[in-house]
Structures are given as structure tokens and as C-alpha cells.
Amino acid sequence: MNKRVFIIVLDSMGIGQAPDAALFGDEGSDTLKSIRSHENFYCPTLEELGLFNIEGVGGGVKNPSAAFCRLRETSMGKDSTIGHWEIAGLISEKPLPTYPDGFPPEVIEKFESMTGRKVLCNKPYSGTDVIRDYGEEHVKTGALIVYTSADSVFQIAAHEDVVPVPELYKICEEARELLQGEHGVGRVIARPFTGEYPFTRTANRHDFSLQPPKTTMLDLLKKAGYDTLSVGKIYDLYGGKSVSELNRTKNNDDGMEKTLQMADRDFNGLCFINLVDFDMTYGHRNDVPGYAKAMTAFDRQLRRFLPKMRDEDLLIITADHGCDPATPSTDHSRECVPMILYGKHIRKGTDLGVRNTFADISATVLDYFGVPKEDTAGESFLPQCLSEAGCVEEPSDEELMAMAEKARENAYTPYSHFRVGAALLTTEGKVFTGCNIENASYTPTVCAERTAFFKAVSEGYQSFAKIAIVGGKEGETAAFCAPCGVCRQVMAEFCGPDFIVILGKPGACREYRLSELLPDSFTKTDLQ
Ligand code: THU
């Protein structure tokens, strides 16, 4: 059967400062926090999946439907390329090089001797200003205008009549070969222009991206015969390396529409999507309302995507860095990113905590396809989130009640002869049962509900959705049995006011919220 993994990268959707944010001048940045309180932000789908359940985010739902974690970046950079490479299992020790003072003589000299043309400018410059200020000299002498920006780019501007476009592209390709290793800039960009002074740029701009210097998840998947489909900027971010299909997009909306079409296709492998508007159009422009609105639009399209998922599909939603639109900086921010993993085989509500590298995504995807990770980084979190039987269907209230009745059979009640059974459902979909266990000295007696709770907690579960309780005298069928005050207090220790308590007897049950059974309870918050 085909296996499909969809990775959607919400470009720049960070969830709060990384531990080393100070090194990047980004203390306090939190992209999600800055947009979520805006009235344009309405993302119930992401909320249900568990976006707000991620450690440090806050405001999570009771029963998230996905597995989730907070990811830190190990690579020493905060640009999209470095972030995406890490998602694909490649950690970069250095950021891509930038040239605030222009390119060093050794680069320029090699470039000049390679092209047989001199270089003009060689500074950070605006693209329109550079042709106005150097265009005439270029036309006169044939020297190439080389300039950069705050980004890791080597840009070459030339008049189309002086250097025909195919020749300029060839020069860029040669420059791309030259600019590797220490001077491996993210992109070499052809910037042709035309006309008379002050000149105009043409639509023949072309980017020559850097290929990842080491093995990525894409290489390994492709080698193993899997599809590696791309939507949006993904192709460029990996310099086209090991990407089997390129689908360019006009904007986020188009990107999600293309993703929805992908979900109807029978491919076998990875569909890797980047939605760049969050970063390019809203993050960099410090546009909080725009960013919030774009998230709402994404959430709506995501809601249409989920029902298209098949049994063997996985969906991963993540980001590549932050770009907090509410801070004065318009640059990227060093933030942790969210990871949401959803699928039929994924145990709902699995909290994977905080993890040290985006590369855990790569390792998880490779693990799912059974492809060895070779020298790529990261650790798979798949084993922690795979549901045991392959797929867990949450028990219905009736099934939970039946489990409580079964547990009641084990009640140890030589003194009261009152037998109680309970079945406690965790938010991950696991059930722990309990019965009452009495004692000759009476007070050590433990109720059925607390047996279930303590079994669950001692197995590492602390997040609960509901409990079914049945009780009655020995030899009689179960009847409504309200939990005692002590058990209510234990419930309040681990459960919120919406925790559901089902009291049952065969064929009938009553449902309560914990807030009805124990209003104004004394809990751990009182001790803070
Ligand atoms: N019991 C429970 O198991 N759960 C409750 O919430 C109420 C009481 C048990 C304890 C004891 O073994 C017996 O019922 C009679 O009190």
C-alpha cells in the first residue's frame, strides 16, 4: 500500500524564543504569540490538533487529536535554507555567509578571470538603485554589476543588450560553482535589465540556489525509490537536489490548493510544502493583522485537507524559524518551532515535549518509510506516537461502561459487599480500569476510581478525558454510583472542570462535568 507523508512548513511561524535567542539579538520574540491575540486570528483546526498544547505555548485543548512537540534549532542560522536543511536532517555549523562590506578580493578576482569581465559596485545595494548608479558604466565598459543585500546572495546585474540573457545565466552557473564551501552563498541571482538610463529590470530574473552540502532526507528517499514532490519554494531551498517534482505557487492560497490536489493523487513518498507568504508578505513587513488573517485562511484550507487523508498518510506541520511581526526588527527571529504530527496511526495527544533539533522530523519520516538515516541527523519520535494496535479508536461511552462493569468483577469487598468498577480514559485514548479494594482495618480501603487513577499515573499518564463508574451491592446488577468526595478530590488533582464523569447502569447513564460534582475545588493552583 502507498505511504504518503505531507510536510507543511509555515514559513516563519515560530512559537517563542530559542534558548540561544540572545546570540541572535532575538530575546522575547514569539511570532505565534504576537498574532494569536489579534481578532483576525481564528484557527480552530490547528487548535484541535494541539498547536496550543505544545509546551510553552499555552491554552491547549482537552483532547488534542495529533502528537506534538516544541523543536529547537541546532544549526547556527535562522534563515529558511538552513532551517529547511535541518528539517531534512542536515545540521549547519555556520550560517550562510553574508557580505556587508562586499565580497573579498579572492572571490572577485576569480570571478573576473573566469568571466573575462571586470566587476562594478561589489557592495550591498538596492536592486533599482544599483542599475541607476552603475548601469551606464556597465553599458560603456561591459563590466558586470555585482552586489549583495542583508541576505546571503551574490547578484549579477547586466543589460540584456550587453550580456544576452543566456550568457548571463551561464555566468551565474559558473559563479554558482565558484561560490561553494566558505563562500557558499544561499543564492546567485541573475538580474537582467533593459532600456535607457535610468533603466528597467526585466522579468528574466533567475535564482541559482545552493545545493545542500551533505546528505538529506530527500536524497535518501529518492534513492530508495520514493517520490519527493515539492510545492512552493521547497525546490529552490534544496537547489533542486533530489526533488522529483516541482510545483511553483503564486501565494499561500495557491500552495494549499495545490496541496489539496496532491492529496487526491496516488503518489508513494513525500509531499513537501512551503507556505512563504507568512514570512515574505507579513513577517518581514511587521504586518500583524495580515499574518493573523493568513493563518486563519490556512486553517480553513487545512480543515478541507484533513478528510482527504488516507489510513497510511502522515501530516507534519512545522516551521523553519520565526519572524515576529510585533518586534521592531523586520528580520527573522531565532525561535523554537511547532511540530504537529497527525494520522490514523498516530496516538492522539502524544506530548513529545521539547526536542533539540528540527532534524527529528527527517529521522521520523525516514523511520516511517523504513529507510536507513545513514549520516543524516535527528532521532525518530515515531515509536512514541504510534498507536499500539496500529490504530486506536476511542471507546464509546457504552464501551467504557462495559469496561467498568468488567473491572467491577474484581472488586475485593469482604466487608461492605458493595462492588464498584471504573474505566478511566486518557486523552491519548488509553483506558485504565479499577475496582474497590477493601481492608480489615477499613481505612486503607481504596475506591475503584482511585485505583484507576493511580494505575494510570504510575504508568506515566496524567491527562484524562473521562471516567465511567458503576457500582452496586454484591449479587445485584450495577446501578448509579456517585464518586465519593475523596475520589472527586483526586479527579480535581489531575483533571480540569470539563473532565467528564459518566455514572451508569446497563442501558442508561448520566453524564456530569467535574465542575458540577466538585465546584470551587481546592487544587494545586491554590498553592501557587
Ligand atoms: N467506593 C468506591 O469504590 N467508589 C466510590 O466513589 C464510593 C465508594 C467503595 C469503597 C468501599 O469499598 C465501598 O464502596 C463501600 O464504601
Side-chain angles (χ1 to χ4, degrees):
M1 200 191 296
N2 280 5
K3 279 183 169 180
R4 309 187 304 175
V5 175
F6 294 84
I7 302 179
I8 302 179
V9 179
L10 311 177
D11 203 304
S12 87
M13 234 293 296
I15 53 169
Q17 64 171 40
D20 57 0
L23 283 178
F24 294 79
D26 294 324
E27 280 167 297
S29 286
D30 190 335
T31 304
L32 177 61
K33 192 169 172 218
S34 294
I35 56 167
R36 71 186 278 196
S37 52
H38 194 276
E39 60 182 14
N40 288 354
F41 186 93
Y42 179 59
C43 295
T45 315
L46 286 165
E47 187 177 0
E48 283 160 31
L49 286 169
L51 176 63
F52 303 123
N53 293 75
I54 295 173
E55 193 168 322
V57 174
V61 291
K62 197 80 208 132
N63 298 306
S65 54
F68 48 85
C69 62
R70 183 181 193 86
L71 292 178
R72 293 176 180 155
E73 184 166 15
T74 296
S75 299
M76 285 314 292
K78 54 174 179 175
D79 61 75
S80 293
T81 305
I82 296 274
H84 279 76
W85 287 359
E86 184 160 322
I87 291 170
L90 195 168
I91 288 170
S92 312
E93 263 127 50
K94 282 198 215 150
L96 294 178
T98 53
Y99 298 90
D101 306 314
F103 298 94
E106 76 255 29
V107 167
I108 295 300
E109 280 158 23
K110 275 198 204 130
F111 180 74
E112 285 180 337
S113 71
M114 197 177 77
T115 57
R117 292 174 186 271
K118 286 274 162 212
V119 160
L120 298 171
C121 183
N122 187 27
K123 285 195 276 275
Y125 229 90
S126 124
T128 42
D129 292 355
V130 88
I131 54 176
R132 183 197 63 209
D133 296 350
Y134 293 94
E136 285 179 305
E137 200 182 338
H138 157 75
V139 170
K140 222 181 293 157
T141 64
L144 295 166
I145 305 167
V146 170
Y147 65 107
T148 186
S149 73
D151 291 342
S152 180
V153 289
F154 186 97
Q155 310 191 80
I156 310 169
H159 196 290
E160 291 192 353
D161 296 342
V162 178
V163 183
V165 172
E167 193 184 328
L168 179 61
Y169 287 176
K170 208 164 154 283
I171 289 170
C172 288
E173 273 165 25
E174 286 170 3
R176 184 67 280 177
E177 276 169 41
L178 173 72
L179 297 164
Q180 298 288 333
E182 187 194 347
H183 296 301
V185 289
R187 283 169 295 159
V188 173
I189 310 176
R191 296 283 198 175
F193 60 94
T194 187
E196 303 289 322
Y197 180 85
F199 307 110
T200 39
R201 296 203 279 183
T202 72
N204 292 322
R205 165 188 167 155
H206 194 76
D207 291 29
F208 300 78
S209 307
L210 184 65
Q211 293 204 333
K214 286 191 275 180
T215 313
T216 69
M217 149 185 93
L218 296 174
D219 301 326
L220 300 174
L221 288 175
K222 188 138 186 262
K223 196 170 74 177
Y226 288 102
D227 295 315
T228 49
L229 314 177
S230 74
V231 176
K233 229 172 83 161
I234 294 294
Y235 184 89
D236 295 323
L237 289 163
Y238 296 94
K241 194 165 165 232
S242 297
V243 177
S244 63
E245 189 182 300
L246 161 68
N247 295 284
R248 288 206 189 281
T249 57
K250 293 197 280 279
N251 48 38
N252 277 4
D253 179 68
D254 187 34
M256 277 309 286
E257 288 305 321
K258 292 215 160 80
T259 304
L260 285 158
Q261 288 164 18
M262 287 290 193
D264 292 330
R265 272 174 52 178
D266 289 325
F267 66 91
N268 188 27
L270 177 67
C271 179
F272 203 170
I273 301 116
N274 172 282
L275 301 176
V276 77
D277 287 0
F278 296 120
D279 180 64
M280 192 177 75
T281 313
Y282 308 109
H284 284 297
R285 294 186 191 158
N286 280 351
D287 181 354
V288 173
Y291 205 136
K293 196 169 162 200
M295 282 294 285
T296 300
F298 166 71
D299 194 271
R300 271 202 208 111
Q301 285 171 306
L302 180 63
R303 191 162 283 271
R304 285 167 51 212
F305 176 84
L306 297 183
K308 288 182 182 284
M309 284 180 69
R310 303 175 186 170
D311 286 0
E312 305 304 314
D313 287 354
L314 294 184
L315 167 67
I316 293 173
I317 300 172
T318 189
D320 52 346
H321 50 73
C323 192
D324 189 335
T327 56
S329 160
T330 55
D331 198 2
H332 292 165
S333 39
R334 178 76 165 177
E335 291 184 45
C336 293
V337 302
M339 193 301 299
I340 292 172
L341 171 62
Y342 179 76
K344 179 115 194 243
H345 295 306
I346 300 303
R347 207 169 59 208
K348 296 175 194 308
T350 311
D351 185 350
L352 298 159
V354 182
R355 304 178 67 97
N356 280 330
T357 168
F358 300 178
D360 287 356
I361 292 179
S362 161
T364 300
V365 171
L366 292 169
D367 190 11
Y368 187 62
F369 287 112
V371 174
K373 70 194 253 295
E374 295 187 15
D375 56 347
T376 56
E379 227 178 88
S380 171
F381 44 71
L382 193 63
Q384 283 124 285
C385 12
L386 271 189
S387 51
E388 277 137 42
C391 123
V392 167
E393 276 296 325
E394 256 191 26
S396 64
D397 289 358
E398 285 69 31
E399 284 167 324
L400 209 57
M401 194 62 71
M403 288 185 232
E405 280 195 72
K406 184 115 190 56
R408 183 174 173 253
E409 289 170 15
N410 297 329
Y412 175 75
T413 55
Y415 309 106
S416 75
H417 306 287
F418 190 88
R419 303 169 75 83
V420 186
L424 174 63
L425 177 68
T426 71
T427 53
E428 292 97 335
K430 215 173 152 61
V431 176
F432 289 87
T433 58
C435 61
N436 52 333
I437 305 164
E438 298 186 340
N439 192 280
S441 83
Y442 288 20
T443 46
T445 294
V446 177
C447 296
E449 299 89 323
R450 273 178 288 148
T451 305
F453 265 92
F454 296 159
K455 275 169 73 181
V457 173
S458 69
E459 295 301 316
Y461 294 83
Q462 291 191 8
S463 174
F464 305 106
K466 48 175 94 161
I467 190 166
I469 307 165
V470 291
K473 291 219 182 85
E474 210 167 73
E476 291 178 13
T477 50
F480 292 118
C481 170
C484 77
V486 176
C487 287
R488 293 179 200 207
Q489 184 64 23
V490 168
M491 290 176 197
E493 185 67 27
F494 295 104
C495 311
D498 292 331
F499 177 69
I500 295 167
V501 180
I502 308 160
L503 307 185
K505 59 180 184 184
C509 50
R510 286 185 209 148
E511 198 175 296
Y512 298 88
R513 307 250 146 194
L514 181 56
S515 54
E516 295 170 81
L517 298 179
L518 191 64
D520 302 323
S521 55
F522 180 85
T523 65
K524 54 192 165 198
T525 52
D526 293 293
L527 297 176
Q528 277 161 6

